[in-house]
Amino acid sequence: MAGAVGARGELESVRVTRILRDDIILGRRAPGSRLVERDIAAELHVSRLPVREAIRTLVAEGVVVARPRTWAVVREFTYRDIRDFAEVREAIETLIFVFAAERHDETGIARLRDAYERELAAALVDDSETARIAAAEFHEIAVELAGNEMLAELIAVFLTRLRWLFGQHDDLVAMADEHRIILDAVIARDADALRGIVPAHLASGQSAAERRLAGDGDLVI
C-alpha cells in the first residue's frame, strides 16, 4: 500500500520516490531508460501503488516523462532545456545568495562551511556521489539562509533538476573551489561580489552539462 510505513518510518511512496530520484540524479538510471512499475516494485519489495505515486511525483519534478499507454521514462534533457533552466536559475539563485549574505548567522555559516568541506574532501578522493550530494546541500542551505519563503517555494519547483545538473559536473574539485569563493563572499556579506560570482558559477555548471550532452553525440543525455 502507498500509505504503508517502512523501516525508516517514512511512507513507502516517499521511500520509493527518494530511491528513484537519487538513482536518476546520480546516473544509476540512464536518461531514456524505462521505469516499469512491476519491475521496480519487485526490486524494492513494495506493491505497484507506491511506485506509481513515486513516478507521478518525479514527473512533476521534471525528471521523468509519462507516456500514455506505455512506460514512463527518465527524461532526456536537451540543449534548450539546459539553457531555459540556466536563465531562470541565474536570476533566482543570485538573489538567494545575496540574501544569504545579508541575513546569515553563525550557525548558518557553520552549516554552509560543513557542506563545502564535505564536498571538497569527497572531490579530492574522487567520490563523485558524495561530492555532488554535498554540492546540492550547499545550495539548499543557502536557500534557508536567505530567509525568504517565496524564493524557497520557487527553487523547490526545480530542486530535483538542480541536483541533476550537479551530476553533470566532471571537475569536482573545480566545483568545490567555486563554492569556496561563494562561501567567502557570503561570510564577508559582500552582496556586490556575489552578483558577479554566482552567475559565473552557474554558467560553469551549464557548460559542463552542455559538454556532457555534446560528448554523447546527440541532443539528449
Side-chain angles (χ1 to χ4, degrees):
M1 295 178 60
V5 177
R8 292 175 48 161
E10 60 185 347
L11 292 174
E12 290 287 18
S13 58
V14 173
R15 180 176 73 88
V16 173
T17 301
R18 173 175 54 79
I19 291 170
L20 292 180
R21 182 189 294 117
D22 286 347
D23 283 351
I24 292 168
I25 289 168
L26 298 173
R28 300 176 193 137
R29 295 184 188 269
S33 61
R34 299 189 306 175
L35 299 176
V36 182
E37 288 181 12
R38 66 171 179 270
D39 293 346
I40 296 170
E43 176 187 339
L44 300 180
H45 307 290
V46 296
S47 70
R48 291 175 64 169
L49 184 54
V51 176
R52 189 173 304 132
E53 293 191 358
I55 289 172
R56 287 178 185 149
T57 297
L58 295 173
V59 168
E61 292 180 3
V63 292
V64 168
V65 177
R67 294 181 174 172
R69 295 180 296 280
T70 186
W71 315 113
V73 297
V74 177
R75 181 173 177 177
E76 299 176 286
F77 286 88
T78 66
Y79 286 113
R80 174 68 179 271
D81 291 328
I82 294 170
R83 285 194 295 269
D84 288 351
F85 180 37
E87 289 174 353
V88 174
R89 184 186 174 204
E90 178 181 326
I92 294 176
E93 285 218 64
T94 299
L95 198 55
I96 283 170
F97 278 103
V98 166
F99 285 161
E102 295 172 346
R103 300 170 181 175
H104 71 257
D105 56 19
E106 290 185 8
T107 300
I109 287 298
R111 293 177 60 212
L112 201 62
R113 181 182 288 110
D114 175 68
Y116 156 70
E117 290 175 349
R118 284 187 285 111
E119 177 190 359
L120 178 61
L124 290 173
V125 297
D126 202 27
D127 181 352
S128 60
E129 284 197 9
T130 300
R132 288 164 179 159
I133 290 169
E137 287 181 14
F138 183 89
H139 284 254
E140 291 165 20
I141 292 166
V143 174
E144 295 179 35
L145 300 188
N148 185 296
E149 290 186 6
M150 184 166 290
L151 276 178
E153 290 175 8
L154 289 172
I155 201 76
V157 172
F158 56 83
L159 183 58
T160 300
R161 278 168 284 183
L162 174 62
R163 290 183 61 201
W164 170 85
L165 191 63
F166 287 126
Q168 309 310 305
H169 229 301
D170 292 319
D171 193 339
L172 302 174
V173 174
M175 183 165 63
D177 285 343
E178 291 176 9
H179 283 162
R180 178 189 54 78
I181 294 169
I182 292 173
L183 174 62
D184 289 345
V186 171
I187 292 171
R189 300 188 188 274
D190 194 342
D192 288 339
L194 286 164
R195 290 187 178 95
I197 294 169
V198 174
H201 168 61
L202 300 181
S204 73
Q206 178 184 354
S207 296
E210 290 179 347
R211 285 195 302 272
R212 179 71 66 87
L213 191 92
D216 281 354
D218 204 342
L219 289 181
V220 295
I221 52 180

